[in-house]
């Protein structure tokens, strides 16, 4: 259809205001300062914010009411993301509430729901995503971490052995949702199961990987004969790939990262106003003015595409768009990088000093350039990964080529 | 003009490559960057002196070999390829370059020390309000007795933290005075350095000068305005940075090719996918183009051809675009491994990012070309200074 997008609902403006007010009230001055400087937050600081959202019922706002959510429409969810993004609120860590939560409320047993959903909705448990392995990145279905039902205990446990890599925040996680191989004989996608693993289980080792921004975001996770209760299996054995695909489809709301881009565009304008060339701010430079306009065009297009996809998914006909979530991921990640690159190009006027230590709490040296510089450069470096994680740009193009164009 | 024959250049290139290949590598760079106060190797610097590399482009009178920017660029391209950390460009191209170009006979004595490895240098010209613009100087060297009193702030520059002698631009007398270049000892009273790593891990500093007392002999040459000389000096720095980038981009493309040949997904080497092959081809085309463009500009500069400045600007535009594409793709095509501090891909990405921005990025040099084109007759832009040597 030519027109998919739903009309904007004006009654939602009061919700928008409510989110704004909440952000203003709940992000205290100390946290505000760290966010503005782009400093690394502690787990406790994330908890402070995410648990406040949990109390308010907004963390799982777009979950259905039966699952403990608010049943938000796509538009409400978009407003929430946009406004928290604009406020520069802490990252909405997705592993629990966006990723595994919906899998559990859709496919989990009553016991699993009772055990896990409250902690996810209140952010009292932290999750990580154990998919990628050293030998299985883009070709995820080739994963080899093995889970075998124990013979000595009548199959009450799986014994898990193998290695995951790039596991974001595994060092903070209480639980890991993991793809494991339960049938090595079957076709790659058919022999995979979806297991919930307690990170405190004996036999798990987490090792940090330092990335190019000098930050610790990702890890290697080793499983050495780890005993996992069989009741931690989601759904049926060997159907894990289906649940993983569901998770991916469900994630399309966030995949374009519109919230973060609202923030980046604001920051870009701030940087241009503060950075001088020949005694005049770069905001007066025709080259940068054109660049900002270009980025805003791309942002508006992406926003429209997101709205269009939501509408298509909600319409009765429910015709999935031809190119779907893959296009949102490609364009969203590219645009994130483009805005960050524009900021970096402007900040390069300060000589590209990178004060990575200034991102640590308690640093009290002298900052160079605009105060937010180190944080922005760190974000720029870190988001080089945006076109790699969650299915790289190359893989997304393959998906469109195969799935949408039938090539 | 250069005193080097083609054979001598070849020899220089081979001996530099042999030394860096043996001594350097990402692990060594990281170690120097993180485990030493200077962020580079003092031992390495001694070796450079012994090899005669520090004197490559210095006059024979100073113990140098009278080479041109081309010879220095051969060295810098090799240093870039191996991610060397020493402040070769700031000391040799900018610091010594300024002294050689403008210094009085007494000041030229410094060059002997540079060749011996006993004097590190850096140029501090850009200021918080200048951006890439080369003619915006607010620092002031007010007259004081026979000499000057220097006040002002300068933007972060690689190598400034360890420089024995800083070359600092400032207006002579007051805010409306001509711009002079001053020799300021890095440890002089009133010099305060804010030391930091650059994005690529090389260290440098931003500086504040508060009433720094300087003798009359601190002024390089006479009191005439030096903005044009600074422009030419920065052009030499620009081109030297391009040479360093050419080395880094070749190495980044090569390490990416190697990785993709051995990394298997979907049951075959990633290098077997045509999308990947074309990307690698584009990276390598850019390497070759950029090397040729930089070579052409080097010849124009060393032979003092008319329009050499435009050739430098064109080379920088080409080099900046190639750096961005090749550095970015080196990370992208390594996948998660490209993001790690462990592999060299991310280090090439960061080195290329710094070199891309140093002395004005591609957009800025493009604007220079537009401004020059606006003043030149229609045919000039395509002919001046671009003939390959
Ligand atoms: C910062 C960061 C956080 C991450 N967080 C998590 C996490 O929490 N949990 C988790 O499980 N994983 C995580 N990942 C892993 C991520 O999903 C993988 O890096 C990604 O799937 C790519 O796999 P790879 O790194 O093995 O690259 P490879 O698959 O080896 O790919 C290397 C390059 O080849 C390209 N390529 C591969 N196949 C093809 C093809 N057929 N055609 C064309 N090009 C191809 C890729 O696009 C890429 O550019 C994270 C990664 C990063 C960088």
């Amino acid at each position: 259809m030519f027109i998919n997008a739903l009309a904007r609902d004006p009654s939602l403006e009061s919700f928008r205001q409510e989110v704004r007010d909440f952000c203003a009230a709940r992000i205290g001055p100390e946290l505000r300062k760290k966010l503005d400087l782009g400093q690394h937050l502690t787990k406790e600081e994330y908890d402070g914010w995410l648990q406040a959202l949990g109390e308010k019922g907004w963390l799982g706002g777009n979950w259905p009411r039966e699952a403990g959510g608010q049943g938000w429409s796509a538009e409400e969810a978009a407003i929430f993301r946009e406004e928290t993004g604009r406020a520069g609120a802490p990252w909405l860590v997705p592993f629990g509430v966006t990723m595994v939560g919906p899998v559990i409320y859709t496919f989990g047993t009553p016991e699993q729901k009772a055990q896990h959903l409250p902690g996810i909705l209140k952010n009292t448990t932290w999750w990580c995503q154990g998919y990628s392995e050293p030998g299985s990145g883009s070709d995820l279905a080739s994963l080899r971490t093995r889970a075998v039902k124990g013979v000595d205990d009548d199959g009450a446990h799986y014994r898990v052995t193998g290695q995951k890599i790039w596991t974001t925040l595994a060092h903070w996680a209480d639980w890991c949702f993991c793809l494991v191989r339960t049938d090595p004989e079957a076709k790659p996608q058919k022999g995979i199961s979806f297991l919930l693993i307690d990170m405190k289980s004996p036999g798990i080792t987490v090792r940090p990987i330092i990335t190019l921004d000098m930050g610790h975001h990702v890890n290697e996770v080793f499983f050495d004969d780890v005993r996992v209760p069989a009741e931690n299996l989601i759904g049926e054995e060997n159907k894990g790939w289906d649940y993983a695909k569901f998770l991916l489809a469900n994630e399309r709301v966030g995949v374009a990262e519109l919230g973060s881009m609202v923030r980046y565009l604001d920051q870009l304008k701030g940087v241009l106003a503060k950075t001088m060339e020949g005694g005049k701010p770069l905001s007066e430079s025709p080259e940068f003015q054109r660049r900002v306009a270009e980025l805003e065009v791309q942002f508006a297009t992406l926003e429209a595409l997101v709205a269009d996809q939501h509408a298509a998914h909600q319409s009765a006909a429910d015709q999935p768009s031809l190119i779907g979530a893959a296009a949102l991921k490609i364009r969203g990640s590219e645009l994130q990088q483009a805005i960050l690159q524009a900021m970096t190009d402007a900040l390069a006027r300060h000589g590209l000093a990178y004060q990575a230590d200034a991102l640590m709490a308690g640093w009290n040296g002298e900052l160079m350039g605009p105060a937010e510089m180190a944080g922005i450069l760190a974000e720029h470096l870190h988001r080089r990964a945006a076109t790699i994680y969650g299915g790289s740009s190359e893989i997304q193009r393959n998906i469109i080529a195969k799935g949408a164009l039938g090539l | 003009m250069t005193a080097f024959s083609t054979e001598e250049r070849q020899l220089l290139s081979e001996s530099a490559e042999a030394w860096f290949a043996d001594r350097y590598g990402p692990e060594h760079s990281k170690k120097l960057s993180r485990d030493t106060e200077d962020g580079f190797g003092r031992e390495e610097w001694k070796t450079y002196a012994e090899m005669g590399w520090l004197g490559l482009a210095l006059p024979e009178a100073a113990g140098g070999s009278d080479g041109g920017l081309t010879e220095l660029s051969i060295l810098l391209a090799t240093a870039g390829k191996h991610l060397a950390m020493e402040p070769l460009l700031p000391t040799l191209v900018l610091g010594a370059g300024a002294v050689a170009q403008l210094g009085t006979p007494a000041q030229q004595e410094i060059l002997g020390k540079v060749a011996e490895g006993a004097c590190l240098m850096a140029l501090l010209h850009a200021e918080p309000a200048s951006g890439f613009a080369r003619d915006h100087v607010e620092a002031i060297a007010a007259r004081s007795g026979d000499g000057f009193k220097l006040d002002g702030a300068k933007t972060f520059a690689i190598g400034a933290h360890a420089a024995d002698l800083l070359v600092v631009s400032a207006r002579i007398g007051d805010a409306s005075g001509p711009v002079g270049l001053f020799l300021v000892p890095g440890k002089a009273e009133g010099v305060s350095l804010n030391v930091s790593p650059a994005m690529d891990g090389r260290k440098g500093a931003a500086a504040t000068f508060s009433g720094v007392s300087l003798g009359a002999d601190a002024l390089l040459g006479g009191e005439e305005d030096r903005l044009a000389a600074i422009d030419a000096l920065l052009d030499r720095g620009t081109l030297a940075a391009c040479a360093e980038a050419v080395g880094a981009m070749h190495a980044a493309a090569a390490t990416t090719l190697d990785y993709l040949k051995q990394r298997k997904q979907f049951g075959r080497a990633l290098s077997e996918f045509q999308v990947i092959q074309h990307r690698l081809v584009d990276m390598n085309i850019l390497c070759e183009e950029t090397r040729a463009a930089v070579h052409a500009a080097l010849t124009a500069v060393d032979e003092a051809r008319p329009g050499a400045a435009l050739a430098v600007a064109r080379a920088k535009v080409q080099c900046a675009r190639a750096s961005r594409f090749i550095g970015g793709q080196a990370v992208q095509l390594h996948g998660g491994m490209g993001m790690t501090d462990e592999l060299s891909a991310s280090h090439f990405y960061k080195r290329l990012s710094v070199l891309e921005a140093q002395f004005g990025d591609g957009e800025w040099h493009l604007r220079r070309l537009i401004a020059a084109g606006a003043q030149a007759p229609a045919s000039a832009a395509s002919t001046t200074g671009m003939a390959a040597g």
Side-chain angles (χ1 to χ4, degrees):
Chain A
M1 231 206 316
F2 175 61
I3 300 290
N4 278 325
L6 302 166
R8 258 181 178 250
D9 179 352
S11 71
L12 291 180
E13 286 312 303
S14 63
F15 175 57
R16 183 183 293 279
Q17 192 56 47
E18 201 187 345
V19 178
R20 277 187 195 174
D21 293 345
F22 185 86
C23 290
R26 289 307 191 90
I27 300 176
E30 222 165 287
L31 182 59
R32 178 80 269 158
K33 187 164 170 233
K34 288 187 88 169
L35 290 166
D36 289 345
L37 292 175
Q39 289 185 332
H40 299 301
L41 303 188
T42 62
K43 190 179 179 201
E44 290 66 34
E45 284 163 330
Y46 274 110
D47 270 334
W49 169 249
L50 295 171
Q51 289 177 3
L53 289 179
E55 286 300 316
K56 182 86 183 158
W58 284 354
L59 199 53
N62 60 344
W63 288 21
R65 290 193 176 277
E66 317 81 83
Q70 309 277 333
W72 280 346
S73 66
E75 208 181 340
E76 282 168 302
I79 287 174
F80 176 72
R81 281 183 174 266
E82 190 183 324
E83 290 307 324
T84 48
R86 193 188 308 280
W91 182 42
L92 285 169
V93 183
F95 306 108
V97 73
T98 313
M99 294 184 172
V100 76
V103 171
I104 295 176
Y105 69 63
T106 309
F107 303 103
T109 61
E111 293 75 24
Q112 287 169 339
K113 292 182 197 175
Q115 183 183 3
H116 294 297
L117 296 184
I120 293 174
L121 281 168
K122 295 269 190 294
N123 205 69
T124 48
T125 43
W126 281 71
W127 287 79
C128 64
Q129 179 186 29
Y131 281 19
S132 308
E133 299 183 4
S136 307
S138 298
D139 181 13
L140 184 60
S142 70
L143 63 90
R144 292 208 309 237
T145 294
R146 194 73 171 91
V148 187
K149 275 255 178 81
V151 275
D152 51 338
D153 58 0
D154 280 341
H157 289 84
Y158 287 98
R159 325 276 299 230
V160 178
T161 298
Q163 187 196 341
K164 298 293 175 181
I165 192 169
W166 316 121
T167 324
T168 302
L169 292 185
H171 51 298
W172 287 356
D174 305 299
W175 285 84
C176 178
F177 59 98
C178 226
L179 292 180
V180 293
R181 184 153 307 281
T182 34
D183 183 356
E185 308 302 328
K187 278 192 176 169
Q189 286 87 342
K190 301 279 177 207
I192 293 171
S193 297
F194 196 111
L195 268 188
L196 310 181
I197 303 182
D198 186 338
M199 289 295 281
K200 285 184 288 296
S201 315
I204 297 182
T205 312
V206 177
R207 262 197 230 146
I209 298 174
I210 303 301
T211 43
L212 79 174
D213 56 325
M214 303 308 290
H216 173 203
H217 316 276
V218 294
N219 304 274
E220 292 180 284
V221 182
F222 299 87
F223 298 88
D224 179 14
D225 199 20
V226 176
R227 284 162 66 89
V228 180
E231 58 264 25
N232 288 8
L233 177 76
I234 290 286
E236 290 175 48
E237 200 175 77
N238 296 328
K239 290 268 172 69
W241 194 253
D242 294 345
Y243 311 133
K245 276 201 304 203
F246 165 87
L247 187 158
L248 218 67
N250 201 60
E251 209 200 321
R252 75 179 72 238
V253 192
V255 80
E257 294 279 1
L258 288 174
S260 70
M261 272 181 278
V262 174
R263 162 98 170 144
Y264 292 164
L265 282 168
D266 280 351
Q267 280 183 315
L268 171 59
K269 288 175 194 167
V271 163
L272 293 178
K274 282 182 224 169
T275 304
M276 302 296 208
E277 186 131 282
K280 282 196 293 194
L282 283 179
S283 49
E284 291 175 20
S285 134
E287 285 85 4
F288 274 100
Q289 286 170 347
R290 187 188 158 100
R291 210 155 155 196
V292 170
E294 291 264 12
L295 293 168
E296 285 180 336
V297 168
Q298 291 170 33
F299 177 73
T301 302
L302 186 64
E303 213 177 19
L305 190 60
V306 170
D308 181 86
Q309 301 252 322
H310 286 326
H313 279 277
Q314 282 179 5
S315 77
D318 194 26
Q319 282 181 330
S321 143
L322 198 62
I323 51 176
L328 295 184
K329 171 63 173 48
I330 293 173
R331 285 294 190 247
S333 55
E334 286 175 351
L335 184 53
Q336 267 190 314
Q337 292 180 345
I339 305 172
L340 287 162
Q341 182 70 62
M343 285 197 255
T344 303
D345 289 349
L347 291 170
R349 268 78 182 170
H350 301 284
L352 279 187
Y354 179 44
Q355 297 175 292
D357 292 345
L359 303 178
M360 305 299 175
W363 185 82
N364 51 12
E366 186 191 342
L367 286 169
M368 282 181 224
E372 65 270 38
M373 179 159 87
I376 289 171
L377 294 180
E379 184 74 1
H380 164 72
L381 291 171
H382 181 53
R383 292 295 162 204
R384 296 313 303 172
T387 47
I388 296 171
Y389 55 60
S392 72
S393 296
E394 288 77 18
I395 293 304
Q396 301 294 348
R397 285 182 168 87
N398 285 349
I399 290 171
I400 294 175
K402 285 208 182 72
L405 309 183
L407 298 171
Chain B
M1 274 303 169
T2 171
F4 278 63
S5 67
T6 307
E7 289 72 32
E8 285 168 327
R9 284 181 178 171
Q10 187 64 32
L11 220 60
L12 167 63
S13 173
E14 282 165 14
S15 66
E17 174 59 28
W19 188 83
F20 279 103
D22 178 49
R23 182 62 176 253
Y24 249 104
E27 282 313 310
H28 189 61
S29 305
K30 257 184 269 181
K31 222 173 119 227
L32 290 173
S33 160
R34 294 166 197 175
D35 301 348
T36 68
E37 198 186 324
D38 294 323
F40 62 83
R42 293 277 174 181
E43 281 304 310
E44 280 73 1
W45 198 258
K46 261 190 215 150
T47 310
Y48 300 159
E50 286 158 21
M51 301 289 275
W53 293 342
L54 300 182
L56 269 179
L58 295 177
E60 270 178 47
S65 340
D66 241 347
L69 193 58
T70 307
E71 282 70 36
L72 270 184
S73 293
I74 291 171
L75 177 68
L76 286 167
T78 317
K81 176 177 170 191
H82 296 278
L83 294 170
M85 304 303 285
E86 289 69 41
L88 288 164
L89 192 159
T91 298
L92 301 181
V93 183
L94 302 177
V99 174
Q101 194 189 338
L102 302 173
T104 61
Q107 288 165 336
Q108 302 272 344
E109 305 268 305
I110 295 164
L111 300 178
K113 283 200 180 158
V114 170
E116 283 167 23
C119 182
L120 292 164
M121 300 186 74
L123 173 71
L124 288 174
H125 174 59
E127 300 186 357
S130 73
F132 293 142
R134 295 171 171 185
D135 56 359
H136 187 94
V137 178
E138 293 181 19
I140 293 180
R143 289 180 205 285
S144 159
D146 277 353
F148 305 92
K149 202 165 63 61
L150 177 65
D151 283 281
K154 296 287 177 180
T155 300
F156 176 86
I158 289 174
H161 67 301
D164 301 296
L165 264 186
L166 295 164
V167 179
V168 184
S169 59
R171 299 213 170 256
I172 302 172
D174 57 33
S176 60
V179 174
L181 284 174
F182 292 84
L183 294 167
V184 183
K187 300 222 156 55
E189 204 170 319
V191 179
S192 128
L193 298 176
N194 187 0
V195 180
S196 164
M199 186 190 267
D200 65 356
R202 288 187 289 177
K203 281 190 184 162
T208 318
F209 301 93
S210 328
V212 179
S213 293
L214 300 172
D217 58 352
L219 178 64
L220 265 184
E223 292 208 359
E224 45 282 54
D225 185 84
R226 298 298 185 188
L227 278 176
I230 292 169
D231 206 28
L233 193 65
L234 291 173
D235 272 347
R236 294 172 72 82
T238 304
L239 200 48
C242 289
E244 206 177 319
V246 166
M249 68 180 70
H250 273 85
T255 191
T256 306
L257 173 64
D258 284 348
Y259 182 78
L260 292 167
K261 280 205 248 180
Q262 53 91 12
R263 170 72 172 167
K264 286 202 171 66
Q265 289 288 275
F266 305 101
R268 44 187 173 145
L270 284 176
S271 60
E272 287 177 35
F273 290 98
Q274 203 164 42
V275 166
I276 299 278
Q277 291 177 350
H278 284 192
R279 201 79 61 79
L280 287 165
V281 167
D282 287 339
M283 290 167 80
N284 280 279
I285 291 176
L286 279 166
C287 282
E288 287 308 295
E289 282 178 333
T290 308
R291 193 171 52 77
V294 171
H295 181 201
L298 280 168
T299 306
V301 167
D302 273 343
E303 296 186 356
R305 294 192 186 169
L310 296 185
V312 171
R314 286 187 201 116
K316 184 69 201 264
V317 173
Q318 165 69 26
C319 187
R321 291 180 175 171
S323 296
R324 180 163 297 187
F325 183 78
I326 293 167
Q329 289 302 321
V331 171
Q332 177 70 21
L333 295 182
H334 274 78
M337 290 308 291
M339 291 293 297
T340 61
D341 181 57
E342 187 188 339
L343 258 61
S344 65
S346 69
H347 295 269
F348 284 119
Y349 172 76
K350 291 190 280 187
R351 178 64 63 97
L352 286 167
S353 299
V354 169
L355 292 168
E356 182 196 328
Q358 259 184 324
F359 311 111
D361 62 9
E363 285 298 307
W364 188 81
H365 281 277
L366 205 55
R367 204 183 331 149
R368 276 180 97 197
L369 288 168
I370 294 168
Q375 291 156 18
S379 64
S382 61
T383 54
T384 38
M386 278 308 279

